[in-house]
Amino acid sequence: MKISRTYRSVFVFLIVISTAVLSWIGFAKLYPDGNSTGVLQERIFRVVKALLGDPIGNALEDKNLPWELVLAKFFAIFILIGGVYKVVEAVFQTQLTLLRTLFKRNHKIVVGINKKGSRILENLKNCQKENAVAIELVNDHENIKNIRNKGHLVIFGDATDKDVLKEAGIRRAKDFICFFDDEQKSLEIVNAVNEIYDQSKPNNELDCFIH
């Protein structure tokens, strides 16, 4: 069962709040003279560090460390790993997409994420619960975020380019869907697909839907 973005956001929010509360209580036990200005500032500083993913000192547990700090340390590491993943995802989005595409088998490839393409991808997700690979020429298309949020992969490039088609996993795909108003462009894409299959002779059968 896939968790919705709303529930994921609530979960992350609760983790952050729990880390802050547990850190504050734990440091209050660790520094009982917390009313003094210096200690209070130190406690606030350490709570902020915990929220930023600092694992609160050594990985080895101190025997006298309050259980709240032990749990907060676990949550802080969780936050740190999640933050690193988001940074890597943002910086290496293209590389991660290509890597994930390598593991695609018997998938659908949709050329273009314009109005028609987006509708097809939406139907695939809502009706067939299937994530496809989309090929889009414009790398800042307004529909990219929505397409990715639905779980589809987006490969940027010209679908007439055989290298781009191979990156989308054309030799492992089950269906190839292409709707273009430009008939000449559609023919060029079909020719590129045929050339790939003639040269590599993959084992799977590809169904093409061209308009």
Side-chain angles (χ1 to χ4, degrees):
M1 182 180 67
K2 187 173 182 179
I3 302 175
S4 68
R5 285 193 299 158
T6 300
Y7 287 121
R8 288 203 302 269
S9 299
V10 171
F11 176 72
V12 172
F13 176 76
L14 290 176
I15 287 292
V16 172
I17 294 299
S18 298
T19 303
V21 173
L22 289 170
S23 299
W24 185 265
I25 295 174
F27 285 127
K29 291 182 178 180
L30 200 61
Y31 303 104
D33 299 328
N35 292 328
S36 63
T37 304
V39 176
L40 184 61
Q41 290 175 346
E42 176 69 14
R43 193 195 307 175
I44 294 173
F45 172 72
R46 289 180 177 272
V47 170
V48 172
K49 286 181 66 179
L51 292 177
L52 292 176
D54 190 293
I56 314 175
N58 296 326
L60 297 177
E61 306 296 349
D62 189 325
K63 292 181 179 180
N64 299 321
L65 197 65
W67 69 267
E68 290 90 351
L69 285 184
V70 176
L71 191 57
K73 178 182 289 189
F74 172 79
F75 286 158
I77 294 174
F78 177 84
I79 294 172
L80 180 62
I81 294 174
V84 170
Y85 174 79
K86 287 297 182 182
V87 171
V88 171
E89 184 180 39
V91 175
F92 301 106
Q93 180 73 62
T94 301
Q95 288 77 6
L96 288 173
T97 298
L98 294 175
L99 182 61
R100 292 173 62 187
T101 305
L102 286 175
F103 296 96
K104 284 283 190 179
R105 296 290 187 278
N106 297 318
H107 58 288
K108 291 179 173 60
I109 297 177
V110 178
V111 179
I113 57 174
N114 51 20
K115 187 175 182 180
K116 291 181 180 178
S118 295
R119 189 182 300 120
I120 292 171
L121 291 167
E122 184 174 356
N123 288 336
L124 286 174
K125 184 65 176 180
N126 295 337
C127 301
Q128 301 182 29
K129 307 300 180 184
E130 184 174 352
N131 294 329
V133 177
I135 300 177
E136 174 56 42
L137 182 62
V138 182
N139 58 12
D140 59 349
H141 197 286
E142 60 182 358
N143 294 334
I144 291 174
K145 185 176 181 180
N146 184 50
I147 297 299
R148 283 176 171 164
N149 287 341
K150 293 183 181 298
H152 302 295
L153 300 178
V154 181
I155 301 290
F156 295 110
D158 190 338
T160 62
D161 187 335
K162 287 186 286 187
D163 288 335
V164 173
L165 291 171
K166 291 176 182 177
E167 288 176 351
I170 190 68
R171 290 175 292 191
R172 304 181 304 277
K174 180 181 179 181
D175 297 318
F176 184 77
I177 305 169
C178 176
F179 287 103
F180 265 112
D181 295 331
D182 188 342
E183 184 176 348
Q184 181 61 36
K185 187 77 170 180
S186 297
L187 289 174
E188 292 177 4
I189 294 173
V190 172
N191 288 335
V193 173
N194 286 333
E195 288 179 11
I196 291 174
Y197 269 70
D198 288 340
Q199 293 171 2
S200 58
K201 301 186 184 303
N203 295 324
N204 69 306
E205 294 183 2
L206 179 68
D207 294 326
C208 294
F209 302 90
I210 310 296
H211 184 273

